Amino acid sequence: MNQMLAAYIERFGGDEVVRVEPRPIPEVGPSQVLIAVHAAAVNPRDWLLRDGRYVFRSFVVGFPKVLGSDVAGVVAAVGPRVSRFRPGDEVVAMQTTLGQMGGFAEYMAVHERAVAHEPRSADHAHCAGLGVAGLTALQALRDDVGLRGHERVAILGASGGVGHYAVQVGKYLGAQVIGVCSGANHAWVRELGADEVIDYRTQDVVGALAASGGVDVVFDAIGKSSLERVRGCLRAGGRYVSTVPTGENARDQLRSTPTQLLGMPGGLVSRMVLCRSRGADLAVLASMVDAGGLRTVIDSVYPLAQTRDALARSRTQRARGKIILAVRS
Ligand SMILES: NC(=O)c1ccc[n+]([C@@H]2O[C@H](COP(=O)([O-])OP(=O)(O)OC[C@H]3O[C@@H](n4cnc5c(N)ncnc54)[C@H](OP(=O)(O)O)[C@@H]3O)[C@@H](O)[C@H]2O)c1
């Protein structure tokens, strides 16, 4: 009775190390919510962790490790200090950095500060992706580069998990949005709200952006660029923000910190977003969903038993929107 099905690893490695077998149901801490998981979202961090390459793997200490950070489902139990949730509530959550992941399972325990009520207008599968990818898009644009309503923003990787939310968050913040992705994805990225689209496979992205008047912000959602490489399309006072902590980006961020702190006119700024698991921000995303300003595009849905296939799909870096694990039918 105290067992659940979970996808976990007992060592780092390839496909073969992922097992979907019974594990103990996690105990609920005093400030935690135990969620009966209906859907979980796959993120690149899941296969990076499996491979032993996740940058924060030392926080997720010890084996076995249940993979997965993002879930949507129903509250099964709450700890004595939990005040905002009760059993039966439909919720969405992103596990905290110190929370040992644990989303690819029938139950996940998570601190209540990382939980929000689900939007009323979306099902569990469409809510699950809001965690890592949705929060990264919101926090990068709103907090890390302070995107403003009159500005122009280019989203590199606009068809991915983070990118497709970023297109919509950019519109929500009132900006003009240019989506950069391969041509096959242009139509639906425009449907999400992108004002313009650029095919990075056939066009010189920086040249095209510069020719159309430049941009105030480049959000490199796929993390394959740098401030130096996009400098030619940034307007005076422009900001670059990336999801991937490369050495080049760390150096650029260090160099541009005085520019940002001192508010030097015209200076360019480089930032790296680090997604924070805040329930308050999940609630912002949920309200955007209910207001019709945000939706999840689902690339594919896999049963929990096929976690290996879901990770393999994510690893291609060709997903259109979010890959979802259906944990309960
Ligand atoms: N720092 C953080 O807190 C944080 C948070 C979340 C994610 N991340 C990182 O951010 C990256 C993106 O995450 P994600 O979940 O959005 O990944 P994802 O969903 O796997 O991204 C897939 C998308 O990437 C696009 N893509 C692949 N190569 C590209 C290229 N060279 N130029 C432009 N687009 C390209 C593909 O579009 P096309 O098929 O159209 O090319 C596809 O739609 C990952 O490295 C992830 O680890 C970091």
Side-chain angles (χ1 to χ4, degrees), residues 43-45 48 132 136 156-157 159-163 180-182 185 200-201 221-222 224 243-244 273-275 314 317-322:
N43 292 287
R45 60 169 58 181
L48 285 167
V132 172
T136 302
L156 312 187
S159 51
V162 177
V180 179
C181 54
S182 51
N185 291 321
Y200 71 93
R201 291 173 190 249
I222 196 70
K224 293 190 186 291
T243 54
V244 176
V273 58
L274 180 58
C275 180
S314 175
Q317 293 203 296
R318 292 273 84 85
R320 301 167 170 210
K322 291 301 303 175

Side-chain angles (χ1 to χ4, degrees), residues 217-286:
V217 169
V218 172
F219 178 22
D220 184 358
I222 196 70
K224 293 190 186 291
S225 189
S226 69
L227 174 63
E228 281 316 306
R229 280 181 264 170
V230 304
R231 183 177 283 276
C233 69
L234 278 172
R235 294 170 168 171
R239 288 93 76 205
Y240 169 84
V241 58
S242 173
T243 54
V244 176
T246 61
E248 199 178 357
N249 289 333
R251 187 205 57 208
D252 288 346
Q253 173 157 345
L254 210 60
R255 281 189 185 156
S256 66
T257 297
T259 307
Q260 188 170 33
L261 290 178
L262 301 173
M264 285 150 71
L268 301 181
V269 165
S270 178
R271 302 277 295 160
M272 282 180 291
V273 58
L274 180 58
C275 180
R276 279 86 66 190
S277 57
R278 287 196 202 123
D281 281 347
L282 279 171
V284 170
L285 295 171

Side-chain angles (χ1 to χ4, degrees), residues 9 12-13 44-58 245 315 317:
I9 57 173
F12 297 128
R45 60 169 58 181
D46 297 309
W47 48 263
L48 285 167
L49 177 66
R50 182 203 64 187
D51 292 357
R53 294 191 294 128
Y54 178 46
V55 69
F56 295 117
R57 63 190 170 279
S58 44
R315 213 166 186 279
Q317 293 203 296

Side-chain angles (χ1 to χ4, degrees), residues 27-215:
E27 286 180 15
V28 200
S31 302
Q32 284 189 322
V33 170
L34 183 71
I35 300 173
V37 177
H38 283 247
V42 177
N43 292 287
R45 60 169 58 181
D46 297 309
W47 48 263
L48 285 167
L49 177 66
R50 182 203 64 187
D51 292 357
R53 294 191 294 128
Y54 178 46
V55 69
F56 295 117
R57 63 190 170 279
S58 44
F59 286 113
V60 193
V61 286
F63 292 107
K65 297 178 199 291
V66 177
L67 302 171
S69 305
D70 294 341
V71 303
V74 179
V75 174
V78 297
R81 290 198 209 130
V82 170
S83 57
R84 292 185 301 115
F85 302 96
R86 63 179 71 166
D89 285 357
E90 297 195 321
V91 293
V92 53
M94 174 193 155
Q95 186 55 275
T96 60
T97 309
L98 297 174
Q100 300 294 301
M101 299 178 83
F104 294 175
E106 289 177 311
Y107 292 92
M108 182 178 89
V110 58
H111 197 288
E112 77 163 326
R113 68 168 173 256
V115 183
H117 288 100
E118 277 190 348
R120 282 180 300 279
S121 55
D123 61 18
H124 296 308
H126 286 83
C127 291
L130 293 174
V132 172
L135 289 172
T136 302
L138 178 69
Q139 293 167 356
L141 293 177
R142 184 195 61 187
D143 305 337
D144 291 308
V145 294
L147 181 67
R148 295 184 288 267
H150 60 276
E151 293 189 313
R152 269 166 66 82
V153 56
I155 311 292
L156 312 187
S159 51
V162 177
H164 91 292
Y165 287 129
V167 167
Q168 300 173 81
V169 170
K171 292 310 296 174
Y172 180 79
L173 294 173
Q176 207 178 8
V177 175
I178 301 111
V180 179
C181 54
S182 51
N185 291 321
H186 280 188
W188 69 268
V189 168
R190 269 191 189 278
E191 274 173 31
L192 291 179
D195 301 285
E196 299 162 40
V197 281
I198 296 175
D199 185 348
Y200 71 93
R201 291 173 190 249
T202 59
Q203 289 175 268
D204 163 17
V205 174
V206 175
L209 289 170
S212 65
V215 289

